[in-house]
Amino acid sequence: MSEYHEAVIIGGGPAGLTAGLYLMRAGIDTLLLEKTLPGGTPLNTDRIENYPGFPEGISGKELMDRKVKHAKAFGLPIKEFTEVESLSFEGERFIIKTSAGLFESMGVIVATGTESMKMNIPGERELAGRGISYCATCDGMFFRNLDVAVIGGGDSAIEEALSLANIVRKVYIIHRRDTLRAQKILQERAFKNNKVEFLWNKKVIEIAGRDQVEYVVVEDTHKGERSRVEVNGVFVYIGSAPNTAFLKELVKRDSAGFIITDENLATKTKGLFIAGDVRKKTLRQIATAVGDGALAAVNLEKYIFEKKP
Ligand code: NDP
């Protein structure tokens, strides 16, 4: 037995929730499937300062709680803890196989976002959860008044290093180059923060410790010299990879696995639209995810109305 809806949205981050809000307001029978709880990546962000409309900033959790509430206010049903295992298109209908059973729909919006990339170095797997984290907002408190390392030089690394600096004794930002990718405003704040020390041109090649993280081994990218940096925790922020395995051949991907869409966020499979960070795009922000969600929803709405008997 399967459950039928006109539209199914996969993923409950900013893109998926916006798509849900728009589809419900358009009178489309919609269901949103979410692997865990709705909210997506912003839940891991302590403070969001570049989402328009919040001049004083807002916590990731509060912003996403508001988006969930807003979508629900227009009746969007959200099925939590439902992981999509496969998606196929058979005889004009999508078949969505999930951990909570089968669903069918006329159209689908995939808004599954990305997940943190791993370093794949010795010690990372062994000490996971014992001093290694991919979420400063979730785990920062465990390192109060201790020393930590943040690996990476993008927005996530610098933003989260700054939020850790409010809690810990010292933050080493270990970066493989000598310039940062992060926004200038974040860079300036980090350079001024006296709890933050940059280790430039250093590659972390091992994370070590007996039961807990005790130090990382870094290698200078120019001289090849190796040294130890003693820390109690390591926060890895080296980018993210798209969650698309369940889509198989229904879409085209770029070399990093992000889904390629046209300007209407459509894919090579009719009725299948893509929104948010999982899509090949130049700017991954909550603001652009929200825009994607709205655009995908409006285009799916058109598709459904053309198809409806
Ligand atoms: P990014 O891909 O932007 O940055 C990844 C960083 O990790 C880079 O500095 C990269 O180095 C480094 N890196 C990559 N692989 C390795 C490796 N194997 N070993 C060591 N270092 C490595 O990822 P983010 O997660 O920071 O950001 C993802 C997206 O989300 C971006 O588009 C970003 O702008 C956006 N974002 C926006 C925020 C905001 O607006 N407030 C907040 C957080 C994210 P290198 O520079 O040398 O390539």
Side-chain angles (χ1 to χ4, degrees), residues 50 119 151-157 159 175-177 181 183 237-240 284-285:
N50 59 358
M119 297 284 296
I151 307 175
D155 283 335
S156 302
E159 203 166 75
H175 184 36
R176 62 185 180 182
R177 294 187 294 126
R181 197 180 273 273
Q183 298 161 45
Y237 282 109
I238 61 164
S240 43
R284 293 195 169 81
Q285 305 270 294

mmCIF file with all atom_site columns, all heavy atoms in Angstrom, residues 50 119 151-157 159 175-177 181 183 237-240 284-285, ligand 1:
data_model
loop_
_atom_site.group_PDB
_atom_site.id
_atom_site.type_symbol
_atom_site.label_atom_id
_atom_site.label_alt_id
_atom_site.label_comp_id
_atom_site.label_asym_id
_atom_site.label_entity_id
_atom_site.label_seq_id
_atom_site.pdbx_PDB_ins_code
_atom_site.Cartn_x
_atom_site.Cartn_y
_atom_site.Cartn_z
_atom_site.occupancy
_atom_site.B_iso_or_equiv
_atom_site.pdbx_formal_charge
_atom_site.auth_seq_id
_atom_site.auth_comp_id
_atom_site.auth_asym_id
_atom_site.auth_atom_id
_atom_site.pdbx_PDB_model_num
ATOM   1   N N   . ASN A 1 50  ? 23.205 37.338 8.177  1.00 0.00 ? 50  ASN A N   1
ATOM   2   C CA  . ASN A 1 50  ? 23.035 37.846 6.811  1.00 0.00 ? 50  ASN A CA  1
ATOM   3   C C   . ASN A 1 50  ? 21.723 37.412 6.176  1.00 0.00 ? 50  ASN A C   1
ATOM   4   O O   . ASN A 1 50  ? 21.594 37.420 4.960  1.00 0.00 ? 50  ASN A O   1
ATOM   5   C CB  . ASN A 1 50  ? 24.228 37.437 5.930  1.00 0.00 ? 50  ASN A CB  1
ATOM   6   C CG  . ASN A 1 50  ? 24.409 35.937 5.856  1.00 0.00 ? 50  ASN A CG  1
ATOM   7   O OD1 . ASN A 1 50  ? 23.659 35.203 6.490  1.00 0.00 ? 50  ASN A OD1 1
ATOM   8   N ND2 . ASN A 1 50  ? 25.376 35.478 5.085  1.00 0.00 ? 50  ASN A ND2 1
ATOM   9   N N   . MET A 1 119 ? 37.637 14.282 6.894  1.00 0.00 ? 119 MET A N   1
ATOM   10  C CA  . MET A 1 119 ? 39.047 14.450 6.530  1.00 0.00 ? 119 MET A CA  1
ATOM   11  C C   . MET A 1 119 ? 39.627 13.159 5.944  1.00 0.00 ? 119 MET A C   1
ATOM   12  O O   . MET A 1 119 ? 40.578 13.194 5.170  1.00 0.00 ? 119 MET A O   1
ATOM   13  C CB  . MET A 1 119 ? 39.876 14.818 7.765  1.00 0.00 ? 119 MET A CB  1
ATOM   14  C CG  . MET A 1 119 ? 39.520 16.127 8.429  1.00 0.00 ? 119 MET A CG  1
ATOM   15  S SD  . MET A 1 119 ? 40.134 17.541 7.490  1.00 0.00 ? 119 MET A SD  1
ATOM   16  C CE  . MET A 1 119 ? 41.888 17.330 7.591  1.00 0.00 ? 119 MET A CE  1
ATOM   17  N N   . ILE A 1 151 ? 39.407 23.132 11.627 1.00 0.00 ? 151 ILE A N   1
ATOM   18  C CA  . ILE A 1 151 ? 40.101 22.888 10.356 1.00 0.00 ? 151 ILE A CA  1
ATOM   19  C C   . ILE A 1 151 ? 39.258 23.462 9.219  1.00 0.00 ? 151 ILE A C   1
ATOM   20  O O   . ILE A 1 151 ? 38.067 23.136 9.100  1.00 0.00 ? 151 ILE A O   1
ATOM   21  C CB  . ILE A 1 151 ? 40.338 21.380 10.133 1.00 0.00 ? 151 ILE A CB  1
ATOM   22  C CG1 . ILE A 1 151 ? 41.041 20.765 11.350 1.00 0.00 ? 151 ILE A CG1 1
ATOM   23  C CG2 . ILE A 1 151 ? 41.157 21.146 8.861  1.00 0.00 ? 151 ILE A CG2 1
ATOM   24  C CD1 . ILE A 1 151 ? 41.203 19.257 11.286 1.00 0.00 ? 151 ILE A CD1 1
ATOM   25  N N   . GLY A 1 152 ? 39.879 24.292 8.364  1.00 0.00 ? 152 GLY A N   1
ATOM   26  C CA  . GLY A 1 152 ? 39.170 24.876 7.219  1.00 0.00 ? 152 GLY A CA  1
ATOM   27  C C   . GLY A 1 152 ? 39.327 26.387 7.183  1.00 0.00 ? 152 GLY A C   1
ATOM   28  O O   . GLY A 1 152 ? 39.732 26.999 8.186  1.00 0.00 ? 152 GLY A O   1
ATOM   29  N N   . GLY A 1 153 ? 38.988 26.979 6.041  1.00 0.00 ? 153 GLY A N   1
ATOM   30  C CA  . GLY A 1 153 ? 39.145 28.432 5.901  1.00 0.00 ? 153 GLY A CA  1
ATOM   31  C C   . GLY A 1 153 ? 37.945 29.083 5.233  1.00 0.00 ? 153 GLY A C   1
ATOM   32  O O   . GLY A 1 153 ? 38.026 30.212 4.760  1.00 0.00 ? 153 GLY A O   1
ATOM   33  N N   . GLY A 1 154 ? 36.794 28.375 5.199  1.00 0.00 ? 154 GLY A N   1
ATOM   34  C CA  . GLY A 1 154 ? 35.578 28.908 4.583  1.00 0.00 ? 154 GLY A CA  1
ATOM   35  C C   . GLY A 1 154 ? 34.698 29.612 5.610  1.00 0.00 ? 154 GLY A C   1
ATOM   36  O O   . GLY A 1 154 ? 35.082 29.778 6.775  1.00 0.00 ? 154 GLY A O   1
ATOM   37  N N   . ASP A 1 155 ? 33.509 30.029 5.179  1.00 0.00 ? 155 ASP A N   1
ATOM   38  C CA  . ASP A 1 155 ? 32.574 30.718 6.078  1.00 0.00 ? 155 ASP A CA  1
ATOM   39  C C   . ASP A 1 155 ? 32.262 29.885 7.316  1.00 0.00 ? 155 ASP A C   1
ATOM   40  O O   . ASP A 1 155 ? 32.223 30.413 8.429  1.00 0.00 ? 155 ASP A O   1
ATOM   41  C CB  . ASP A 1 155 ? 31.248 30.987 5.336  1.00 0.00 ? 155 ASP A CB  1
ATOM   42  C CG  . ASP A 1 155 ? 31.350 32.149 4.379  1.00 0.00 ? 155 ASP A CG  1
ATOM   43  O OD1 . ASP A 1 155 ? 32.203 33.027 4.595  1.00 0.00 ? 155 ASP A OD1 1
ATOM   44  O OD2 . ASP A 1 155 ? 30.582 32.175 3.400  1.00 0.00 ? 155 ASP A OD2 1
ATOM   45  N N   . SER A 1 156 ? 32.035 28.588 7.115  1.00 0.00 ? 156 SER A N   1
ATOM   46  C CA  . SER A 1 156 ? 31.646 27.746 8.260  1.00 0.00 ? 156 SER A CA  1
ATOM   47  C C   . SER A 1 156 ? 32.762 27.717 9.290  1.00 0.00 ? 156 SER A C   1
ATOM   48  O O   . SER A 1 156 ? 32.514 27.885 10.488 1.00 0.00 ? 156 SER A O   1
ATOM   49  C CB  . SER A 1 156 ? 31.348 26.311 7.818  1.00 0.00 ? 156 SER A CB  1
ATOM   50  O OG  . SER A 1 156 ? 30.336 26.291 6.871  1.00 0.00 ? 156 SER A OG  1
ATOM   51  N N   . ALA A 1 157 ? 33.989 27.485 8.836  1.00 0.00 ? 157 ALA A N   1
ATOM   52  C CA  . ALA A 1 157 ? 35.119 27.363 9.766  1.00 0.00 ? 157 ALA A CA  1
ATOM   53  C C   . ALA A 1 157 ? 35.286 28.643 10.576 1.00 0.00 ? 157 ALA A C   1
ATOM   54  O O   . ALA A 1 157 ? 35.406 28.606 11.811 1.00 0.00 ? 157 ALA A O   1
ATOM   55  C CB  . ALA A 1 157 ? 36.405 27.050 8.999  1.00 0.00 ? 157 ALA A CB  1
ATOM   56  N N   . GLU A 1 159 ? 33.152 31.265 10.978 1.00 0.00 ? 159 GLU A N   1
ATOM   57  C CA  . GLU A 1 159 ? 31.985 31.611 11.791 1.00 0.00 ? 159 GLU A CA  1
ATOM   58  C C   . GLU A 1 159 ? 31.940 30.757 13.061 1.00 0.00 ? 159 GLU A C   1
ATOM   59  O O   . GLU A 1 159 ? 31.718 31.259 14.154 1.00 0.00 ? 159 GLU A O   1
ATOM   60  C CB  . GLU A 1 159 ? 30.732 31.364 10.946 1.00 0.00 ? 159 GLU A CB  1
ATOM   61  C CG  . GLU A 1 159 ? 29.549 32.135 11.389 1.00 0.00 ? 159 GLU A CG  1
ATOM   62  C CD  . GLU A 1 159 ? 28.481 32.097 10.314 1.00 0.00 ? 159 GLU A CD  1
ATOM   63  O OE1 . GLU A 1 159 ? 27.814 31.057 10.154 1.00 0.00 ? 159 GLU A OE1 1
ATOM   64  O OE2 . GLU A 1 159 ? 28.321 33.096 9.615  1.00 0.00 ? 159 GLU A OE2 1
ATOM   65  N N   . HIS A 1 175 ? 44.652 26.038 8.551  1.00 0.00 ? 175 HIS A N   1
ATOM   66  C CA  . HIS A 1 175 ? 44.213 26.174 7.157  1.00 0.00 ? 175 HIS A CA  1
ATOM   67  C C   . HIS A 1 175 ? 45.336 25.765 6.210  1.00 0.00 ? 175 HIS A C   1
ATOM   68  O O   . HIS A 1 175 ? 46.505 26.060 6.472  1.00 0.00 ? 175 HIS A O   1
ATOM   69  C CB  . HIS A 1 175 ? 43.775 27.625 6.905  1.00 0.00 ? 175 HIS A CB  1
ATOM   70  C CG  . HIS A 1 175 ? 43.208 27.862 5.544  1.00 0.00 ? 175 HIS A CG  1
ATOM   71  N ND1 . HIS A 1 175 ? 42.431 26.924 4.888  1.00 0.00 ? 175 HIS A ND1 1
ATOM   72  C CD2 . HIS A 1 175 ? 43.298 28.925 4.704  1.00 0.00 ? 175 HIS A CD2 1
ATOM   73  C CE1 . HIS A 1 175 ? 42.069 27.408 3.707  1.00 0.00 ? 175 HIS A CE1 1
ATOM   74  N NE2 . HIS A 1 175 ? 42.597 28.611 3.576  1.00 0.00 ? 175 HIS A NE2 1
ATOM   75  N N   . ARG A 1 176 ? 44.966 25.125 5.118  1.00 0.00 ? 176 ARG A N   1
ATOM   76  C CA  . ARG A 1 176 ? 45.991 24.589 4.215  1.00 0.00 ? 176 ARG A CA  1
ATOM   77  C C   . ARG A 1 176 ? 46.632 25.645 3.317  1.00 0.00 ? 176 ARG A C   1
ATOM   78  O O   . ARG A 1 176 ? 47.584 25.342 2.608  1.00 0.00 ? 176 ARG A O   1
ATOM   79  C CB  . ARG A 1 176 ? 45.400 23.468 3.370  1.00 0.00 ? 176 ARG A CB  1
ATOM   80  C CG  . ARG A 1 176 ? 44.266 23.897 2.462  1.00 0.00 ? 176 ARG A CG  1
ATOM   81  C CD  . ARG A 1 176 ? 43.673 22.695 1.769  1.00 0.00 ? 176 ARG A CD  1
ATOM   82  N NE  . ARG A 1 176 ? 42.577 23.072 0.889  1.00 0.00 ? 176 ARG A NE  1
ATOM   83  C CZ  . ARG A 1 176 ? 41.861 22.199 0.204  1.00 0.00 ? 176 ARG A CZ  1
ATOM   84  N NH1 . ARG A 1 176 ? 42.115 20.909 0.300  1.00 0.00 ? 176 ARG A NH1 1
ATOM   85  N NH2 . ARG A 1 176 ? 40.890 22.598 -0.581 1.00 0.00 ? 176 ARG A NH2 1
ATOM   86  N N   . ARG A 1 177 ? 46.089 26.869 3.314  1.00 0.00 ? 177 ARG A N   1
ATOM   87  C CA  . ARG A 1 177 ? 46.689 27.955 2.512  1.00 0.00 ? 177 ARG A CA  1
ATOM   88  C C   . ARG A 1 177 ? 46.993 29.136 3.434  1.00 0.00 ? 177 ARG A C   1
ATOM   89  O O   . ARG A 1 177 ? 46.829 29.032 4.649  1.00 0.00 ? 177 ARG A O   1
ATOM   90  C CB  . ARG A 1 177 ? 45.712 28.392 1.423  1.00 0.00 ? 177 ARG A CB  1
ATOM   91  C CG  . ARG A 1 177 ? 45.445 27.320 0.390  1.00 0.00 ? 177 ARG A CG  1
ATOM   92  C CD  . ARG A 1 177 ? 44.619 27.831 -0.762 1.00 0.00 ? 177 ARG A CD  1
ATOM   93  N NE  . ARG A 1 177 ? 43.268 28.205 -0.392 1.00 0.00 ? 177 ARG A NE  1
ATOM   94  C CZ  . ARG A 1 177 ? 42.717 29.385 -0.643 1.00 0.00 ? 177 ARG A CZ  1
ATOM   95  N NH1 . ARG A 1 177 ? 43.412 30.332 -1.239 1.00 0.00 ? 177 ARG A NH1 1
ATOM   96  N NH2 . ARG A 1 177 ? 41.470 29.647 -0.293 1.00 0.00 ? 177 ARG A NH2 1
ATOM   97  N N   . ARG A 1 181 ? 38.922 31.769 2.493  1.00 0.00 ? 181 ARG A N   1
ATOM   98  C CA  . ARG A 1 181 ? 37.824 31.819 1.543  1.00 0.00 ? 181 ARG A CA  1
ATOM   99  C C   . ARG A 1 181 ? 36.620 32.567 2.158  1.00 0.00 ? 181 ARG A C   1
ATOM   100 O O   . ARG A 1 181 ? 35.737 33.012 1.450  1.00 0.00 ? 181 ARG A O   1
ATOM   101 C CB  . ARG A 1 181 ? 37.425 30.354 1.316  1.00 0.00 ? 181 ARG A CB  1
ATOM   102 C CG  . ARG A 1 181 ? 36.617 30.033 0.139  1.00 0.00 ? 181 ARG A CG  1
ATOM   103 C CD  . ARG A 1 181 ? 36.385 28.530 0.178  1.00 0.00 ? 181 ARG A CD  1
ATOM   104 N NE  . ARG A 1 181 ? 37.447 27.791 -0.460 1.00 0.00 ? 181 ARG A NE  1
ATOM   105 C CZ  . ARG A 1 181 ? 37.482 27.521 -1.749 1.00 0.00 ? 181 ARG A CZ  1
ATOM   106 N NH1 . ARG A 1 181 ? 36.502 27.919 -2.530 1.00 0.00 ? 181 ARG A NH1 1
ATOM   107 N NH2 . ARG A 1 181 ? 38.470 26.843 -2.271 1.00 0.00 ? 181 ARG A NH2 1
ATOM   108 N N   . GLN A 1 183 ? 33.971 35.144 4.101  1.00 0.00 ? 183 GLN A N   1
ATOM   109 C CA  . GLN A 1 183 ? 33.604 36.554 3.873  1.00 0.00 ? 183 GLN A CA  1
ATOM   110 C C   . GLN A 1 183 ? 34.529 37.471 4.674  1.00 0.00 ? 183 GLN A C   1
ATOM   111 O O   . GLN A 1 183 ? 34.917 37.142 5.796  1.00 0.00 ? 183 GLN A O   1
ATOM   112 C CB  . GLN A 1 183 ? 32.181 36.812 4.366  1.00 0.00 ? 183 GLN A CB  1
ATOM   113 C CG  . GLN A 1 183 ? 31.100 36.026 3.666  1.00 0.00 ? 183 GLN A CG  1
ATOM   114 C CD  . GLN A 1 183 ? 29.831 35.982 4.509  1.00 0.00 ? 183 GLN A CD  1
ATOM   115 O OE1 . GLN A 1 183 ? 29.395 36.971 5.054  1.00 0.00 ? 183 GLN A OE1 1
ATOM   116 N NE2 . GLN A 1 183 ? 29.235 34.801 4.626  1.00 0.00 ? 183 GLN A NE2 1
ATOM   117 N N   . TYR A 1 237 ? 35.618 21.630 9.448  1.00 0.00 ? 237 TYR A N   1
ATOM   118 C CA  . TYR A 1 237 ? 34.739 22.422 8.568  1.00 0.00 ? 237 TYR A CA  1
ATOM   119 C C   . TYR A 1 237 ? 35.393 22.563 7.206  1.00 0.00 ? 237 TYR A C   1
ATOM   120 O O   . TYR A 1 237 ? 35.821 23.649 6.821  1.00 0.00 ? 237 TYR A O   1
ATOM   121 C CB  . TYR A 1 237 ? 34.473 23.801 9.189  1.00 0.00 ? 237 TYR A CB  1
ATOM   122 C CG  . TYR A 1 237 ? 33.443 23.744 10.287 1.00 0.00 ? 237 TYR A CG  1
ATOM   123 C CD1 . TYR A 1 237 ? 33.803 23.909 11.612 1.00 0.00 ? 237 TYR A CD1 1
ATOM   124 C CD2 . TYR A 1 237 ? 32.111 23.510 9.982  1.00 0.00 ? 237 TYR A CD2 1
ATOM   125 C CE1 . TYR A 1 237 ? 32.849 23.844 12.622 1.00 0.00 ? 237 TYR A CE1 1
ATOM   126 C CE2 . TYR A 1 237 ? 31.150 23.449 10.978 1.00 0.00 ? 237 TYR A CE2 1
ATOM   127 C CZ  . TYR A 1 237 ? 31.522 23.614 12.290 1.00 0.00 ? 237 TYR A CZ  1
ATOM   128 O OH  . TYR A 1 237 ? 30.572 23.554 13.276 1.00 0.00 ? 237 TYR A OH  1
ATOM   129 N N   . ILE A 1 238 ? 35.487 21.449 6.496  1.00 0.00 ? 238 ILE A N   1
ATOM   130 C CA  . ILE A 1 238 ? 36.222 21.493 5.218  1.00 0.00 ? 238 ILE A CA  1
ATOM   131 C C   . ILE A 1 238 ? 35.277 21.416 4.011  1.00 0.00 ? 238 ILE A C   1
ATOM   132 O O   . ILE A 1 238 ? 35.707 21.080 2.914  1.00 0.00 ? 238 ILE A O   1
ATOM   133 C CB  . ILE A 1 238 ? 37.282 20.375 5.153  1.00 0.00 ? 238 ILE A CB  1
ATOM   134 C CG1 . ILE A 1 238 ? 36.628 18.998 5.262  1.00 0.00 ? 238 ILE A CG1 1
ATOM   135 C CG2 . ILE A 1 238 ? 38.343 20.576 6.218  1.00 0.00 ? 238 ILE A CG2 1
ATOM   136 C CD1 . ILE A 1 238 ? 37.539 17.880 4.818  1.00 0.00 ? 238 ILE A CD1 1
ATOM   137 N N   . GLY A 1 239 ? 34.030 21.775 4.229  1.00 0.00 ? 239 GLY A N   1
ATOM   138 C CA  . GLY A 1 239 ? 33.086 21.785 3.109  1.00 0.00 ? 239 GLY A CA  1
ATOM   139 C C   . GLY A 1 239 ? 32.048 20.691 3.259  1.00 0.00 ? 239 GLY A C   1
ATOM   140 O O   . GLY A 1 239 ? 32.009 19.969 4.262  1.00 0.00 ? 239 GLY A O   1
ATOM   141 N N   . SER A 1 240 ? 31.207 20.607 2.253  1.00 0.00 ? 240 SER A N   1
ATOM   142 C CA  . SER A 1 240 ? 30.097 19.665 2.365  1.00 0.00 ? 240 SER A CA  1
ATOM   143 C C   . SER A 1 240 ? 29.809 19.004 1.025  1.00 0.00 ? 240 SER A C   1
ATOM   144 O O   . SER A 1 240 ? 30.128 19.557 -0.030 1.00 0.00 ? 240 SER A O   1
ATOM   145 C CB  . SER A 1 240 ? 28.875 20.402 2.890  1.00 0.00 ? 240 SER A CB  1
ATOM   146 O OG  . SER A 1 240 ? 28.767 21.643 2.246  1.00 0.00 ? 240 SER A OG  1
ATOM   147 N N   . ARG A 1 284 ? 25.718 29.401 -1.757 1.00 0.00 ? 284 ARG A N   1
ATOM   148 C CA  . ARG A 1 284 ? 24.904 28.574 -0.846 1.00 0.00 ? 284 ARG A CA  1
ATOM   149 C C   . ARG A 1 284 ? 24.646 29.351 0.438  1.00 0.00 ? 284 ARG A C   1
ATOM   150 O O   . ARG A 1 284 ? 25.519 29.450 1.295  1.00 0.00 ? 284 ARG A O   1
ATOM   151 C CB  . ARG A 1 284 ? 25.606 27.241 -0.568 1.00 0.00 ? 284 ARG A CB  1
ATOM   152 C CG  . ARG A 1 284 ? 25.680 26.388 -1.796 1.00 0.00 ? 284 ARG A CG  1
ATOM   153 C CD  . ARG A 1 284 ? 26.033 24.930 -1.565 1.00 0.00 ? 284 ARG A CD  1
ATOM   154 N NE  . ARG A 1 284 ? 25.804 24.212 -2.795 1.00 0.00 ? 284 ARG A NE  1
ATOM   155 C CZ  . ARG A 1 284 ? 26.655 24.195 -3.817 1.00 0.00 ? 284 ARG A CZ  1
ATOM   156 N NH1 . ARG A 1 284 ? 27.812 24.798 -3.722 1.00 0.00 ? 284 ARG A NH1 1
ATOM   157 N NH2 . ARG A 1 284 ? 26.348 23.556 -4.923 1.00 0.00 ? 284 ARG A NH2 1
ATOM   158 N N   . GLN A 1 285 ? 23.459 29.903 0.545  1.00 0.00 ? 285 GLN A N   1
ATOM   159 C CA  . GLN A 1 285 ? 23.051 30.717 1.679  1.00 0.00 ? 285 GLN A CA  1
ATOM   160 C C   . GLN A 1 285 ? 21.597 30.391 1.980  1.00 0.00 ? 285 GLN A C   1
ATOM   161 O O   . GLN A 1 285 ? 20.887 29.867 1.123  1.00 0.00 ? 285 GLN A O   1
ATOM   162 C CB  . GLN A 1 285 ? 23.121 32.207 1.302  1.00 0.00 ? 285 GLN A CB  1
ATOM   163 C CG  . GLN A 1 285 ? 24.450 32.664 0.792  1.00 0.00 ? 285 GLN A CG  1
ATOM   164 C CD  . GLN A 1 285 ? 25.348 33.141 1.902  1.00 0.00 ? 285 GLN A CD  1
ATOM   165 O OE1 . GLN A 1 285 ? 25.064 34.136 2.523  1.00 0.00 ? 285 GLN A OE1 1
ATOM   166 N NE2 . GLN A 1 285 ? 26.425 32.446 2.145  1.00 0.00 ? 285 GLN A NE2 1
HETATM 167 P P1  . NDP B 2 .   ? 33.733 25.819 1.741  1.00 0.00 ? 1   NDP B P1  1
HETATM 168 O O1  . NDP B 2 .   ? 33.799 24.814 0.637  1.00 0.00 ? 1   NDP B O1  1
HETATM 169 O O2  . NDP B 2 .   ? 33.363 27.222 1.436  1.00 0.00 ? 1   NDP B O2  1
HETATM 170 O O3  . NDP B 2 .   ? 35.163 25.871 2.470  1.00 0.00 ? 1   NDP B O3  1
HETATM 171 C C1  . NDP B 2 .   ? 35.850 24.707 2.805  1.00 0.00 ? 1   NDP B C1  1
HETATM 172 C C2  . NDP B 2 .   ? 37.189 25.081 3.405  1.00 0.00 ? 1   NDP B C2  1
HETATM 173 O O4  . NDP B 2 .   ? 37.854 23.882 3.803  1.00 0.00 ? 1   NDP B O4  1
HETATM 174 C C3  . NDP B 2 .   ? 38.113 25.812 2.417  1.00 0.00 ? 1   NDP B C3  1
HETATM 175 O O5  . NDP B 2 .   ? 38.824 26.819 3.074  1.00 0.00 ? 1   NDP B O5  1
HETATM 176 C C4  . NDP B 2 .   ? 39.028 24.683 1.937  1.00 0.00 ? 1   NDP B C4  1
HETATM 177 O O6  . NDP B 2 .   ? 40.329 25.121 1.650  1.00 0.00 ? 1   NDP B O6  1
HETATM 178 C C5  . NDP B 2 .   ? 39.107 23.791 3.155  1.00 0.00 ? 1   NDP B C5  1
HETATM 179 N N1  . NDP B 2 .   ? 39.307 22.385 2.796  1.00 0.00 ? 1   NDP B N1  1
HETATM 180 C C6  . NDP B 2 .   ? 38.644 21.650 1.881  1.00 0.00 ? 1   NDP B C6  1
HETATM 181 N N2  . NDP B 2 .   ? 39.089 20.373 1.858  1.00 0.00 ? 1   NDP B N2  1
HETATM 182 C C7  . NDP B 2 .   ? 40.058 20.316 2.799  1.00 0.00 ? 1   NDP B C7  1
HETATM 183 C C8  . NDP B 2 .   ? 40.904 19.273 3.263  1.00 0.00 ? 1   NDP B C8  1
HETATM 184 N N3  . NDP B 2 .   ? 40.825 18.028 2.783  1.00 0.00 ? 1   NDP B N3  1
HETATM 185 N N4  . NDP B 2 .   ? 41.788 19.559 4.233  1.00 0.00 ? 1   NDP B N4  1
HETATM 186 C C9  . NDP B 2 .   ? 41.872 20.816 4.747  1.00 0.00 ? 1   NDP B C9  1
HETATM 187 N N5  . NDP B 2 .   ? 41.102 21.835 4.366  1.00 0.00 ? 1   NDP B N5  1
HETATM 188 C C10 . NDP B 2 .   ? 40.199 21.588 3.392  1.00 0.00 ? 1   NDP B C10 1
HETATM 189 O O7  . NDP B 2 .   ? 32.763 25.152 2.840  1.00 0.00 ? 1   NDP B O7  1
HETATM 190 P P2  . NDP B 2 .   ? 31.888 25.800 4.027  1.00 0.00 ? 1   NDP B P2  1
HETATM 191 O O8  . NDP B 2 .   ? 31.311 24.651 4.746  1.00 0.00 ? 1   NDP B O8  1
HETATM 192 O O9  . NDP B 2 .   ? 32.665 26.797 4.806  1.00 0.00 ? 1   NDP B O9  1
HETATM 193 O O10 . NDP B 2 .   ? 30.724 26.574 3.273  1.00 0.00 ? 1   NDP B O10 1
HETATM 194 C C11 . NDP B 2 .   ? 29.841 25.860 2.386  1.00 0.00 ? 1   NDP B C11 1
HETATM 195 C C12 . NDP B 2 .   ? 28.919 26.865 1.710  1.00 0.00 ? 1   NDP B C12 1
HETATM 196 O O11 . NDP B 2 .   ? 28.021 27.426 2.667  1.00 0.00 ? 1   NDP B O11 1
HETATM 197 C C13 . NDP B 2 .   ? 29.682 28.045 1.104  1.00 0.00 ? 1   NDP B C13 1
HETATM 198 O O12 . NDP B 2 .   ? 29.048 28.404 -0.081 1.00 0.00 ? 1   NDP B O12 1
HETATM 199 C C14 . NDP B 2 .   ? 29.545 29.133 2.154  1.00 0.00 ? 1   NDP B C14 1
HETATM 200 O O13 . NDP B 2 .   ? 29.638 30.434 1.624  1.00 0.00 ? 1   NDP B O13 1
HETATM 201 C C15 . NDP B 2 .   ? 28.162 28.837 2.728  1.00 0.00 ? 1   NDP B C15 1
HETATM 202 N N6  . NDP B 2 .   ? 28.074 29.298 4.118  1.00 0.00 ? 1   NDP B N6  1
HETATM 203 C C16 . NDP B 2 .   ? 27.638 30.580 4.337  1.00 0.00 ? 1   NDP B C16 1
HETATM 204 C C17 . NDP B 2 .   ? 27.571 31.075 5.600  1.00 0.00 ? 1   NDP B C17 1
HETATM 205 C C18 . NDP B 2 .   ? 27.128 32.485 5.807  1.00 0.00 ? 1   NDP B C18 1
HETATM 206 O O14 . NDP B 2 .   ? 26.820 33.167 4.851  1.00 0.00 ? 1   NDP B O14 1
HETATM 207 N N7  . NDP B 2 .   ? 27.088 33.002 6.998  1.00 0.00 ? 1   NDP B N7  1
HETATM 208 C C19 . NDP B 2 .   ? 27.899 30.268 6.788  1.00 0.00 ? 1   NDP B C19 1
HETATM 209 C C20 . NDP B 2 .   ? 28.392 28.937 6.445  1.00 0.00 ? 1   NDP B C20 1
HETATM 210 C C21 . NDP B 2 .   ? 28.455 28.499 5.157  1.00 0.00 ? 1   NDP B C21 1
HETATM 211 P P3  . NDP B 2 .   ? 40.646 26.011 0.343  1.00 0.00 ? 1   NDP B P3  1
HETATM 212 O O15 . NDP B 2 .   ? 40.141 27.383 0.659  1.00 0.00 ? 1   NDP B O15 1
HETATM 213 O O16 . NDP B 2 .   ? 42.128 25.921 0.231  1.00 0.00 ? 1   NDP B O16 1
HETATM 214 O O17 . NDP B 2 .   ? 39.933 25.344 -0.797 1.00 0.00 ? 1   NDP B O17 1
#
